[in-house]
Amino acid sequence: MSDKRRERGICELYQEDPERADFAIFGRVPESNRRGFLKGAGLATMGAVLGAAIPLHRNMPAGLIPAALAQSAKDFKIQGKDGLTVYNDRPINAETPAHLLDDDITPNARHFVRNNGAVPEAAMKMDASGWKMVLDGEVEKSLTLTLDDLRSGNFEIVKRALQIECGGNGRSGFNPPASGNQWTVGAVGNAMWTGVRLADVLKSAGVKSSAVYTGHEGADPHLSGDPTKVSISRGVPIAKAMDPNNLIAFEMNGEPIPAVNGFPVRLVIPGWPGSCSQKWLTRVWVRDKEHDGSKMTGMSYRVPKYNVAPGTKVPKEDFKIMESMPVKSVITAPASGAEGVARALEVRGHAWAGDRTAAAMHVSTDFGATWVKADLSAPPNPYSWQRWRAKLAFPQHGYYEVWARATDDKGVMQPFAVNWNPRGYMNNSMHRIALTVA
Ligand SMILES: Nc1nc2c(c(=O)[nH]1)N[C@H]1C(S)=C(S)[C@@H](COP(=O)(O)O)O[C@H]1N2
Ligand SMILES: [Mo]
């Protein structure tokens, strides 16, 4: 297993290395055997994690996991989130069960969270006062922008429904398994984002002809506490960066972006792996070569250039950087496992297709033998997911499955089988749910 996958939950970390665990969550002064003054990211983070300040924190013995966290990551509650399945508390990783993704616009409380590092202290406090970002590199003039510059500067403010999907969404379907978060189908969301176009800001700086790629930087500290290490810094080719649908966003569903989703400002690069959408944005660096930041290189967010049989060891040079996500859909109603459903029933969900649009949607209730066309709405704006609905009639009571399959505007369909790759990315196999009919 590569070191990249050493994401350890807080319970595991307390077992293996209590001093580091203390330091990670409390920012404790290491030489003291009691937690000193709880300052910095640790205290703010813990306050947010526990949902309250810790007035008597100085009495807590070192190496003692707070009881609120002592069960498991699953019992950990992310502030402001509701009903999510939590995979890890450090970094925070949580997905949305499919039936809670039924809204056309995903509410803040239901948008998944994928963090690679710690949440910045200022974000935990929802303090935007010190925020600024830099745009530099292969541009005519570098820019430093404040929140006011974005909100009331020269840039048009736009509001768009945009889907963000983690590149690893669906990873739990891989066999042999791929390490990393075992996402099912819910590492995807479609919120209403407000911000300025990344392209407008790039144009105002004047992109030089030498520009090749962007490099995105964020304020989230590395989990090791080592300030020289970077949690994640990815980028996109300059042509993609100039797409007018990418936003430098400062509102999510009309509210400040939640702390864990990138407060106060993040990129939204819809249609590409979520990792391109840098949270807690501090810099867009226009580069004269492919960006080589943290998790841009090695095998992160890369797939083999050709299809491989499950379990194949693929040489490093045969990997390519993931770009558009593939066509996909999810069934959001009814919930899988619903019992005693009516013999005439509406099923519905959403479909999306990365840089493409979904052009058709089909459902099957007989394990794929026959397919019924569903109604599929056009996206309200490019890169929004699309609503689909189908009326089903079940011939008699008993166990059924509903399978859902989207087709994109180039005729590419979701497969039944999982397109296995070593790191478990881009699984767009069909979503299926179980029902018993009354
Ligand atoms: N600064 C920063 N940006 C980040 C990440 C991160 O860990 N740090 N995670 C990325 C990944 S892998 C994904 S899938 C999306 C998830 O966005 P969300 O947590 O708002 O759902 O954010 C991306 N942006
Ligand atoms: Mo991701």
Side-chain angles (χ1 to χ4, degrees):
M1 192 183 290
S2 83
D3 57 351
K4 146 97 170 59
R5 287 295 146 204
R6 300 271 299 153
E7 288 186 356
R8 289 176 298 183
I10 205 67
C11 296
E12 206 183 334
L13 192 63
Y14 263 102
Q15 261 168 21
E16 288 173 17
D17 189 348
E19 202 163 287
R20 218 182 116 213
D22 261 4
F23 187 71
I25 65 169
F26 286 100
R28 186 175 66 90
V29 186
E31 55 277 1
S32 140
N33 68 348
R34 291 201 164 243
R35 292 187 176 104
F37 294 95
L38 290 176
K39 282 191 249 164
L43 185 55
T45 304
M46 280 315 294
V49 163
L50 300 173
I54 317 167
L56 303 179
H57 58 79
R58 276 182 239 168
N59 296 339
M60 274 185 89
L64 180 70
I65 185 167
L69 302 183
Q71 290 103 9
S72 72
K74 285 198 172 49
D75 301 314
F76 159 83
K77 171 102 179 68
I78 305 167
Q79 276 230 297
K81 297 288 174 184
D82 175 29
L84 269 54
T85 307
V86 177
Y87 291 114
N88 203 344
D89 49 22
R90 185 182 168 279
I92 298 172
N93 288 306
E95 76 166 292
T96 317
H99 68 284
L100 298 183
L101 284 174
D102 194 38
D103 304 89
D104 288 347
I105 300 294
T106 310
N108 291 356
R110 297 266 161 84
H111 199 282
F112 79 101
V113 183
R114 192 328 184 209
N115 288 348
N116 291 266
V119 179
E121 186 187 354
M124 278 301 188
K125 294 179 176 157
M126 298 299 274
D127 174 11
S129 56
W131 183 85
K132 58 180 173 10
M133 67 165 280
V134 170
L135 173 67
D136 63 351
E138 304 302 307
V139 289
E140 302 297 340
K141 63 170 195 305
S142 301
L143 303 177
T144 300
L145 299 165
T146 64
L147 206 46
D148 270 355
D149 295 329
L150 296 184
R151 284 184 175 280
S152 43
N154 300 322
F155 308 110
E156 186 189 342
I157 292 180
V158 292
K159 207 170 175 171
R160 298 275 184 275
L162 299 171
Q163 47 91 2
I164 296 178
E165 181 179 15
C166 182
N169 194 24
R171 180 177 290 129
S172 63
F174 282 69
N175 188 17
S179 53
N181 289 305
Q182 296 301 302
W183 307 116
T184 64
V185 293
V188 61
N190 191 69
M192 185 66 77
W193 295 96
T194 305
V196 302
R197 294 185 189 89
L198 172 62
D200 290 349
V201 178
L202 284 167
K203 281 183 210 153
S204 81
V207 176
K208 290 185 180 168
S209 58
S210 51
V212 171
Y213 229 88
T214 55
H216 312 148
E217 295 182 3
D220 44 334
H222 194 267
L223 289 175
S224 64
D226 179 346
T228 65
K229 288 193 177 153
V230 174
S231 298
I232 188 168
S233 172
R234 305 199 68 241
V236 294
I238 198 69
K240 173 66 178 175
M242 296 302 282
D243 183 307
N245 297 294
N246 301 323
L247 299 186
I248 300 178
F250 46 76
E251 274 178 18
M252 184 177 179
N253 294 321
E255 289 172 21
I257 299 172
V260 291
N261 298 106
F263 176 92
V265 177
R266 75 174 297 170
L267 286 174
V268 181
I269 311 269
W272 283 37
S275 51
C276 300
S277 295
Q278 192 81 23
K279 303 194 278 190
W280 312 289
L281 185 67
T282 54
R283 183 186 185 196
V284 175
W285 178 17
V286 181
R287 310 226 32 200
D288 62 2
K289 59 173 188 179
E290 194 173 279
H291 184 47
D292 52 1
S294 168
K295 303 193 176 175
M296 256 328 279
T297 56
M299 296 204 306
S300 297
Y301 303 104
R302 291 183 190 227
V303 289
K305 291 173 183 156
Y306 41 82
N307 288 346
V308 299
T312 306
K313 230 181 139 11
V314 180
K316 218 181 137 187
E317 59 276 15
D318 285 0
F319 282 79
K320 60 174 182 196
I321 298 174
M322 288 158 63
E323 300 199 331
S324 175
M325 293 293 286
V327 60
K328 195 154 169 178
S329 60
V330 66
I331 303 165
T332 59
S336 189
E339 286 180 17
V341 303
R343 281 175 56 177
L345 179 74
E346 181 188 83
V347 292
R348 59 178 183 268
H350 311 286
W352 62 98
D355 283 335
R356 300 179 182 175
T357 43
M361 188 70 215
H362 292 85
V363 293
S364 176
T365 53
D366 55 10
F367 307 101
T370 62
W371 293 86
V372 180
K373 203 165 198 285
D375 288 331
L376 174 68
S377 305
N381 56 251
Y383 291 96
S384 166
W385 67 19
Q386 299 162 245
R387 168 63 79 186
W388 61 266
R389 295 170 192 278
K391 290 233 184 311
L392 299 180
F394 298 96
Q396 63 185 81
H397 68 88
Y399 175 87
Y400 291 85
E401 294 189 6
V402 180
W403 295 7
R405 184 185 77 191
T407 305
D408 74 20
D409 55 8
K410 297 269 179 355
V412 177
M413 283 176 194
Q414 287 184 256
F416 176 78
V418 175
N419 180 15
W420 190 92
N421 57 81
R423 295 299 283 270
Y425 295 123
M426 294 176 123
N427 177 9
N428 70 333
S429 59
M430 313 172 187
H431 187 205
R432 348 183 248 147
I433 62 165
L435 296 178
T436 55
V437 173

